[in-house]
Amino acid sequence: MRMVVLAGGIGGARFLRGLKRAAPDADITVIGNTGDDIHLFGLKVCPDLDTVMYTLGGGIDEAQGWGRADETFQVKAELAAYGVGPEWFGLGDRDFATHIVRTQMLGAGYPLSAVTEALCDRWRPGVRLLPMSDDRVETHVAVELDGERRAVHFQEYWVRLRASVDAHAVVPVGAEQAKPAPGVLEAIAEADVVLFPPSNPVVSIGTILAVPGIREAVAEAGVPVVGLSPIVGNAPVRGMADKVLAAVGVEATASAVARHYGSGLLDGWLVDTVDADAVAEVEAAGIRCRAVPLMMTDVEAAAAMAREALALAEEVRG
Amino acid sequence: MRMVVLAGGIGGARFLRGLKRAAPDADITVIGNTGDDIHLFGLKVCPDLDTVMYTLGGGIDEAQGWGRADETFQVKAELAAYGVGPEWFGLGDRDFATHIVRTQMLGAGYPLSAVTEALCDRWRPGVRLLPMSDDRVETHVAVELDGERRAVHFQEYWVRLRASVDAHAVVPVGAEQAKPAPGVLEAIAEADVVLFPPSNPVVSIGTILAVPGIREAVAEAGVPVVGLSPIVGNAPVRGMADKVLAAVGVEATASAVARHYGSGLLDGWLVDTVDADAVAEVEAAGIRCRAVPLMMTDVEAAAAMAREALALAEEVRG
């Protein structure tokens, strides 16, 4: 069974861990979001790729959901002593090594996809992890700060501002010119099923779909495309997805997100049991829908969600 | 009193600490060797500049003589886990931060001299620390390895090979095309005295003097130029200076090193009391010479050496 999963950070990574348990023999290709990549201290940081890699490779800080376990912060403290910022992005010493290796390889001319493969040689995540693109895409958020409208990097919006101000627009800068990374379109074309984990529909999965060719490939793959709602009881399970949904004019409800993807893309949609009344609305939009528990409290809960998604895919396939 | 000191790493740094104690009100400009700079993991590492900066700024690992006090090695361990080397160069987490800041600033277009000044804003070494040049100079050592003649980076010779094989030649690659960093020639021209600490005469002070214009400026400054022998009792006080002296055809004796610099450059020379019999030989070569204790066992011993060097300078000035 060949599966393609479009993944953001924590939600995507935890779902993938469940999927691996649910389908241990599956051949899984993950297309990772790189729109929230950022250059910090001259180093290339790929938060979503790393979260997937660390989570599946056993190196993640479990409580936090991102960054490395048993982390220390000597480098960060020293950089602060030099007066070099930003201080709002929490890079630990172990994590720094990943960015140092990545930056060195990129500097030597390797594309991000090759670098990611090299990093995964160590982590052995048990999936094939591909960046959505080797080209630079950077998600910017239009906000109003001190009465002035300006665009900030997604990480600045998310981490520094904690999404405390309204997002007026979300723009994946560079996406229009980006090409899917080698293997991305082939993996989609050869997939038996495509899954959207409960990742952010705007800045994670939306950014991946914004790379020309990817949305079309998913829509035309001719295989079931099943997603899981990141919104439970009209609120994001984690993060501040409601803020960026508002920027694209989508209500923060399980049903609205499904309709945002649309029946042209999505064949099946899972909502949480608390949102059971959304099922009819989603199905009316031409998307098969089931209400099941969607809280990834542990790996087994995530595995159960993955089984439900795969079951729905088979049901759709008919 | 304006002093210019040409310095390598540990020996230069410890002498400078003594000099600052001996002459607390002096205006000291240090011209630092950058020939042993190296790119590691995509980062620019300047071992000698950092040793001076950390030693004078109170951040040095005292026992080791280089690197940071209270150091940890998480980044290095992680890089090794990625299979990324070299593993023979001991970069600690705190030290990494310095190289990250430096590399980021160089990448942004600042010359090494400006970067060094920025780093010193934190360390406040109490001297003006200038790299000998903003241009890249890299000391290579010709060796025979496994029957094959090849050139290795100085750090590879010194740190990885521990100078265990003979050096057939020492070449400061790029020196001929290098220009002295801004302020270097001016500082020499305005100096009241020029000092050569007990640094390596080939790969430290020799490399600085190999930058076109610096040797001439020292020779023509018209002020006392006084050096301290790094060789005591026919052996280097620290390091493996004898190996690189042999490569340039100079005996590892206090007298031979003075004659290697020559009376055209050097006005005064201090040898250790155990080398008292070298005094006559050095003076016969036209260089004023005194035998005094030259072991920098602590800051006070280094200060006593600095006082002797300054006294000899005044004697030479006459």
Side-chain angles (χ1 to χ4, degrees):
Chain A
M1 185 88 164
R2 284 164 301 187
M3 305 180 182
V4 164
V5 180
L6 273 52
I10 305 178
R14 290 185 173 168
F15 174 76
L16 281 163
R17 196 157 54 176
L19 181 63
K20 279 177 62 188
R21 178 177 291 191
D25 299 325
D27 171 354
I28 303 171
T29 296
V30 178
I31 301 173
N33 171 41
T34 58
D36 55 358
D37 291 3
I38 186 167
H39 280 82
L40 293 169
F41 314 108
L43 301 173
K44 172 83 163 180
V45 180
C46 300
D48 282 0
L49 294 180
D50 287 350
T51 295
V52 169
M53 190 171 76
Y54 294 159
T55 301
L56 299 185
I60 199 80
D61 180 320
E62 286 290 343
Q64 189 173 250
W66 53 270
R68 295 287 311 279
D70 303 317
E71 191 55 287
T72 55
F73 295 89
Q74 299 272 49
V75 176
K76 183 179 161 75
E78 289 293 319
L79 292 169
Y82 278 116
V84 172
E87 295 192 37
W88 48 263
F89 203 91
L91 292 180
D93 298 326
R94 294 178 186 273
D95 201 19
F96 257 111
T98 300
H99 313 314
I100 289 170
V101 173
R102 175 185 291 124
T103 306
Q104 185 180 17
M105 286 190 72
L106 289 170
Y110 292 93
L112 183 60
S113 50
V115 174
T116 305
E117 192 180 343
L119 295 172
C120 285
D121 273 350
R122 170 186 177 195
W123 290 104
R124 306 195 173 282
V127 301
R128 182 162 169 239
L129 178 60
L130 302 176
M132 65 189 200
S133 177
D134 280 335
D135 302 318
R136 185 164 168 177
V137 177
E138 205 165 85
T139 303
H140 286 195
V141 181
V143 294
E144 208 168 290
L145 282 176
D146 307 321
E148 219 178 311
R149 187 106 172 215
R150 54 184 280 252
V152 297
H153 189 288
F154 170 71
Q155 296 294 352
E156 192 174 350
Y157 181 70
W158 210 247
V159 180
R160 186 171 80 83
L161 299 173
R162 308 285 317 151
S164 58
V165 295
D166 287 343
H168 294 293
V170 177
V171 183
V173 178
E176 278 178 35
Q177 291 77 41
K179 289 180 299 296
V184 164
L185 296 183
E186 294 79 353
I188 296 170
E190 293 165 7
D192 298 306
V193 62
V194 176
L195 300 173
F196 294 179
S199 289
N200 191 303
V202 181
V203 295
S204 297
I205 296 178
T207 305
I208 300 171
L209 293 172
V211 176
I214 296 186
R215 175 186 292 273
E216 297 71 11
V218 171
E220 293 158 16
V223 297
V225 178
V226 172
L228 299 91
S229 177
I231 304 287
V232 169
N234 303 332
V237 173
R238 86 164 24 245
M240 302 142 288
D242 47 334
K243 289 288 190 162
V244 288
L245 280 167
V248 296
V250 175
E251 255 190 306
T253 68
S255 155
V257 172
R259 286 177 286 129
H260 170 62
Y261 284 130
S263 61
L265 193 66
L266 213 55
D267 301 304
W269 187 242
L270 293 178
V271 299
D272 189 80
T273 44
V274 304
D275 297 311
D277 54 358
V279 171
E281 212 172 69
V282 174
E283 297 220 316
I287 300 164
R288 196 78 63 97
C289 188
R290 296 288 173 271
V292 300
L294 287 190
M295 302 302 281
M296 292 191 282
T297 44
D298 56 23
V299 181
E300 192 40 46
M305 286 163 56
R307 283 184 206 106
E308 294 286 359
L310 293 173
L312 183 56
E314 291 317 306
E315 198 184 315
V316 165
R317 198 188 308 274
Chain B
M1 185 90 163
R2 284 163 301 188
M3 306 181 182
V4 164
V5 181
L6 275 52
I10 304 177
R14 289 185 174 169
F15 174 76
L16 282 162
R17 197 158 52 176
L19 181 63
K20 279 176 62 188
R21 179 177 291 191
D25 299 325
D27 172 354
I28 304 171
T29 296
V30 178
I31 301 173
N33 170 43
T34 58
D36 56 357
D37 291 3
I38 186 167
H39 280 83
L40 293 168
F41 314 108
L43 301 173
K44 172 84 163 179
V45 180
C46 300
D48 282 0
L49 294 181
D50 287 349
T51 295
V52 170
M53 189 171 76
Y54 294 160
T55 300
L56 300 185
I60 200 77
D61 180 322
E62 286 291 343
Q64 189 173 249
W66 52 272
R68 294 288 311 279
D70 305 316
E71 190 55 288
T72 55
F73 295 89
Q74 300 272 50
V75 175
K76 183 179 160 76
E78 288 294 319
L79 292 169
Y82 277 116
V84 172
E87 295 192 36
W88 47 263
F89 203 92
L91 292 180
D93 298 326
R94 292 178 186 272
D95 201 19
F96 256 111
T98 300
H99 313 315
I100 289 170
V101 172
R102 175 185 291 124
T103 305
Q104 185 180 17
M105 285 190 72
L106 289 170
Y110 292 94
L112 183 60
S113 50
V115 174
T116 304
E117 192 181 343
L119 295 173
C120 285
D121 273 349
R122 171 186 176 194
W123 289 104
R124 308 197 172 280
V127 300
R128 181 162 169 240
L129 178 59
L130 302 177
M132 65 189 199
S133 177
D134 280 335
D135 301 318
R136 184 164 170 177
V137 178
E138 204 166 87
T139 303
H140 286 194
V141 181
V143 294
E144 208 170 291
L145 282 177
D146 307 321
E148 220 177 310
R149 187 105 172 218
R150 52 184 282 250
V152 298
H153 189 287
F154 170 71
Q155 295 295 352
E156 191 174 352
Y157 181 70
W158 209 247
V159 181
R160 186 171 80 83
L161 299 172
R162 307 288 315 154
S164 57
V165 295
D166 287 343
H168 294 294
V170 177
V171 183
V173 179
E176 279 177 35
Q177 291 78 41
K179 290 181 299 296
V184 164
L185 297 183
E186 294 79 353
I188 297 170
E190 293 165 7
D192 298 306
V193 62
V194 176
L195 300 174
F196 294 180
S199 288
N200 190 303
V202 181
V203 295
S204 296
I205 295 178
T207 305
I208 299 170
L209 293 170
V211 176
I214 296 186
R215 176 186 291 274
E216 297 73 11
V218 172
E220 293 159 15
V223 296
V225 179
V226 172
L228 298 92
S229 177
I231 304 289
V232 169
N234 304 332
V237 174
R238 85 164 27 245
M240 302 143 288
D242 48 333
K243 289 288 190 163
V244 288
L245 279 167
V248 296
V250 175
E251 255 189 308
T253 67
S255 156
V257 172
R259 288 177 286 128
H260 170 63
Y261 285 131
S263 62
L265 194 65
L266 213 55
D267 302 303
W269 186 243
L270 293 180
V271 300
D272 189 80
T273 44
V274 304
D275 297 311
D277 55 357
V279 171
E281 213 172 69
V282 174
E283 296 221 316
I287 300 164
R288 195 78 63 97
C289 187
R290 294 290 172 269
V292 300
L294 287 190
M295 303 301 284
M296 292 190 283
T297 44
D298 55 24
V299 181
E300 191 41 44
M305 286 164 55
R307 282 183 207 105
E308 294 286 358
L310 294 173
L312 183 55
E314 291 317 306
E315 200 183 314
V316 165
R317 198 188 309 273

